[in-house]
């Protein structure tokens, strides 16, 4: 078997073959994931197609010699870039003025919920890895600050988990750090799908929520689902998808130019954030030109941008699973399992309690959207939400999108700890203390109405 795999890898020019073979692997396992998703009981599980393909990759990695077919460095590069490209596509989308808007209060509360979930996950992760390190001592395969990767894998996904896992590995001696982070992200997708669906079915049986649509009925689409208002008509000169890809590519090129000129190591872990900022600025500038009637028609198509983002995120998930090193994971699988299980339970409880407090009238819609996002990705949250709020009649979808803006403040503070916690045991304990203090403040802010007897308008579905 080893001989077969080695002969395959020696075929043709090494650089060309590496690029083609890795592209083939990502495409092939996306196809396998799609084929599996056509099975009725698998489709009902809501597990993303890309994750299904990624799980098959992980299973096949236990076959001796299979990993020789995968270039881990190439897969890590794909994961890193796909994250930034996907975020740019999302940020370029034009907002729908007719869509039900969230209130300013619900956006702030959603930001506190998102940021608070990051902090809860960081606390859980740090407590577990600090205890393991103290008890096991030199026999531990983890560094005490490894647990702070939990909010990156659960809350941010494969790209961020890889970025900082690699930093922990290269700068702080955490052997297998990138694999640890990627594994958390992979398990997070399963948590979002399996736990989310199981809990949703429990609530349905209790009569607390209803199914939004019938899977056996073909979904009807309107032209508004594919074309923006006042959008420039399609022309034979250039395809709308091509225009969207051009904008995404140019913005990402600008991101890399800035990072290269700045030459600051920390910036390389923020390619997605810089991409989001630059894309948002481009979106604002285009809106300004339309408002001043300089640009009479909308040039970017939301549907195409969303398809681009989803493509990059699907690629990111597959490549992230391919980049997981089974050998490195074998020495820390039980520690990883403890971190992920306890982290999932803590995340579930925190979001469920807070959703009941801040999402009056749509607490379940708010819960499923946030739980899906804060264990998987934003798309996971939207998939779960559509099961009970197909037409987005509640503000839950908007809360998910706009809540990320105030959450950036909390996430930024957490990212600072990512450069401090992995330095040693003392630094990990101090980081834990800071996170505990932060979550106390966040909880007070979220429950301010009850604590300070503040009366507010009740939000509902109408």
């Amino acid at each position: 078997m080893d001989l077969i795999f080695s002969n395959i890898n020696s075929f043709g020019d090494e650089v060309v073959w590496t690029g083609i073979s890795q592209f083939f692997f990502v495409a092939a396992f996306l196809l396998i994931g799609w084929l599996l998703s056509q099975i009725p009981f698998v489709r009902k599980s809501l597990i993303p197609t890309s994750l299904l393909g990624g799980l098959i990759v992980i299973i096949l990695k236990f076959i001796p010699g299979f990993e020789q077919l995968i270039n881990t460095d190439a897969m890590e590069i794909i994961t890193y870039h796909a994250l930034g490209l996907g975020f740019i596509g999302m940020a370029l989308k034009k907002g729908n003025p007719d869509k039900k808007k969230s209130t300013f209060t619900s956006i702030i509360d959603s930001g506190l919920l998102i940021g608070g979930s990051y902090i809860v996950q960081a606390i859980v992760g740090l407590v577990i890895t600090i205890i393991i390190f103290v008890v096991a001592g030199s026999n531990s395969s983890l560094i005490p600050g490894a647990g702070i990767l939990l909010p990156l894998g659960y809350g941010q996904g494969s790209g961020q988990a890889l970025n900082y896992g690699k930093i922990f590995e290269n700068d702080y001696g955490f052997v297998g750090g990138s694999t640890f982070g990627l594994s958390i992200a992979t398990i997070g997708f399963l948590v979002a799908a399996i736990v989310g669906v199981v809990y949703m079915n429990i609530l349905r049986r209790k009569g607390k929520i209803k199914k939004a649509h019938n899977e056996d009925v073909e979904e009807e689409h309107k032209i508004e689902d594919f074309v923006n208002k006042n959008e420039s008509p399609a022309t034979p000169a250039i395809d709308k998808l091509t225009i969207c890809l051009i904008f995404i590519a140019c913005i990402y090129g600008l991101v890399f130019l800035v990072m290269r000129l700045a030459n600051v190591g920390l910036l390389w872990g923020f390619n997605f954030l810089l991409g989001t900022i630059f894309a948002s600025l481009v979106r604002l500038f285009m809106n300004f030109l339309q408002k001043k009637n300089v640009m009479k028609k909308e040039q970017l198509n939301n549907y195409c941008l969303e398809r681009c983002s989803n493509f990059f995120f699907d690629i990111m998930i597959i490549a992230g699973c391919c980049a997981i090193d089974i050998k490195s994971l074998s020495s820390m699988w039980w520690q990883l399992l403890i971190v992920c299980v306890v982290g999932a339970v803590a995340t579930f409880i925190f979001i469920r309690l807070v959703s009941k407090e801040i999402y009056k009238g749509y607490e379940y819609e708010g819960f499923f959207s946030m739980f899906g996002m804060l264990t998987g990705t934003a798309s996971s949250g939207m998939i779960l939400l559509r099961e009970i709020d197909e037409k987005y009649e509640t503000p839950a979808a908007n809360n998910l999108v706009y809540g990320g803006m105030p959450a950036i403040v909390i996430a930024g503070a957490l990212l600072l700890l990512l450069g401090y916690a992995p330095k040693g045991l003392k630094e990990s304990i101090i980081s834990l203390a800071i996170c505990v203090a932060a979550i106390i403040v966040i909880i007070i802010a979220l429950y301010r109405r009850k604590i300070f007897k503040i009366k507010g308008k009740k939000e509902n579905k109408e």
Side-chain angles (χ1 to χ4, degrees), residues 35 40 79 116 132 134 166 304 331 417 420 436:
L35 292 173
T79 304
I132 291 175
V134 170
K166 200 71 175 176
C304 289
S331 63
L417 293 179
Y420 181 72
V436 170

Side-chain angles (χ1 to χ4, degrees), residues 126 148 417 420-422 426-436:
L126 284 171
I148 204 169
L417 293 179
Y420 181 72
K426 181 184 74 173
E427 290 80 2
S428 296
I429 294 173
I430 292 174
S431 297
L432 175 60
I434 293 172
C435 287
V436 170

Side-chain angles (χ1 to χ4, degrees), residues 239-282:
D239 189 81
K240 289 186 177 183
L241 178 62
T242 304
I243 296 175
C244 293
L245 288 171
I246 288 171
F247 269 81
I248 292 172
C250 289
I251 292 172
Y252 197 55
L254 181 61
V255 168
F256 253 72
L257 178 63
V258 170
M259 291 193 299
R260 185 171 181 82
L261 293 176
N263 198 27
V264 178
L266 185 62
L267 279 180
W268 292 100
F270 287 91
N271 66 322
F272 76 102
L273 183 57
L274 288 176
T276 302
I277 293 172
F278 288 172
S280 298
L281 291 174
V282 170

Side-chain angles (χ1 to χ4, degrees), residues 80-380:
Y80 173 82
H81 292 303
L83 175 71
L85 292 167
F87 268 86
I88 291 173
M90 289 176 60
L92 282 173
K93 288 179 63 179
K94 185 178 180 66
N96 185 355
D98 296 331
K99 195 173 182 179
K100 187 174 180 64
K101 291 182 173 63
S102 302
T103 65
F104 177 77
T105 301
S106 68
I107 291 175
I108 296 299
D109 285 341
S110 297
L112 290 171
L113 170 58
I114 295 170
S117 298
Y118 294 158
I119 300 299
V120 167
Q121 291 166 351
I123 291 172
V124 169
L126 284 171
V127 167
I128 293 173
T129 53
I130 287 173
I131 291 175
I132 291 175
F133 182 82
V134 170
V135 173
S138 59
N139 294 324
S140 173
S141 56
L142 300 178
I143 61 175
I148 204 169
L149 289 173
L150 180 60
L152 297 182
Y154 270 14
Q156 294 290 320
S158 306
Q160 274 294 78
L162 169 66
N163 287 350
Y164 279 94
K166 200 71 175 176
I167 291 173
F168 280 28
E169 191 169 333
N170 295 336
D171 298 348
Y172 304 107
F174 179 20
V175 178
S178 57
T179 292
F180 188 78
L182 287 170
S183 299
I184 291 174
T186 302
I187 294 173
F189 283 108
L190 291 174
V191 169
I194 297 173
V195 176
V197 172
V198 169
Y199 184 55
M200 189 177 292
N201 287 324
I202 291 174
L203 292 175
R204 281 174 181 162
R205 284 197 294 269
K206 291 182 176 181
K208 293 187 176 181
I209 60 174
K210 295 181 180 179
K211 193 176 183 64
H213 63 279
N214 188 341
E215 292 178 355
D216 297 325
V217 177
E218 187 174 349
E219 186 177 358
E220 293 184 2
H221 293 282
K222 299 178 181 179
I223 188 65
E224 291 81 7
D225 296 330
F226 305 99
V227 180
N228 303 347
K229 286 187 176 181
N230 196 37
E231 184 178 317
S232 178
T235 65
I238 188 169
D239 189 81
K240 289 186 177 183
L241 178 62
T242 304
I243 296 175
C244 293
L245 288 171
I246 288 171
F247 269 81
I248 292 172
C250 289
I251 292 172
Y252 197 55
L254 181 61
V255 168
F256 253 72
L257 178 63
V258 170
M259 291 193 299
R260 185 171 181 82
L261 293 176
N263 198 27
V264 178
L266 185 62
L267 279 180
W268 292 100
F270 287 91
N271 66 322
F272 76 102
L273 183 57
L274 288 176
T276 302
I277 293 172
F278 288 172
S280 298
L281 291 174
V282 170
R283 180 72 266 171
L284 288 173
F285 181 65
M286 293 179 71
N287 291 344
F288 172 78
L289 292 179
Q290 289 181 34
K291 187 176 180 180
K292 297 297 182 181
N293 210 29
V294 176
M295 183 187 292
K296 299 184 182 297
K297 295 288 185 179
E298 173 60 43
Q299 301 301 315
L300 296 177
N301 179 272
N302 276 2
Y303 180 77
C304 289
L305 287 171
E306 187 174 347
R307 298 283 71 76
C308 290
S309 293
N310 289 344
F311 170 75
F312 290 127
F313 288 143
D314 285 338
I315 292 296
M316 179 188 74
I317 294 169
I318 287 284
C321 290
C322 289
I324 292 175
D325 186 353
I326 298 298
K327 292 180 181 178
S328 298
L329 189 60
S330 61
S331 63
M332 61 176 101
W333 68 266
W334 63 271
Q335 297 102 315
L336 173 70
L337 190 61
I338 293 173
V339 169
C340 289
V341 170
V342 179
V345 172
T347 303
F348 182 97
I349 294 173
F350 179 77
I351 297 176
R352 183 68 191 91
L353 292 175
V354 174
S355 297
K356 190 175 181 179
E357 172 65 20
I358 67 175
Y359 297 138
K360 301 296 184 181
Y362 60 103
E363 61 178 271
Y364 294 116
E365 290 86 349
F367 166 77
F368 283 111
S369 61
M370 289 298 177
F371 180 75
M373 180 178 70
L374 291 166
T375 49
T377 61
S379 60
S380 303

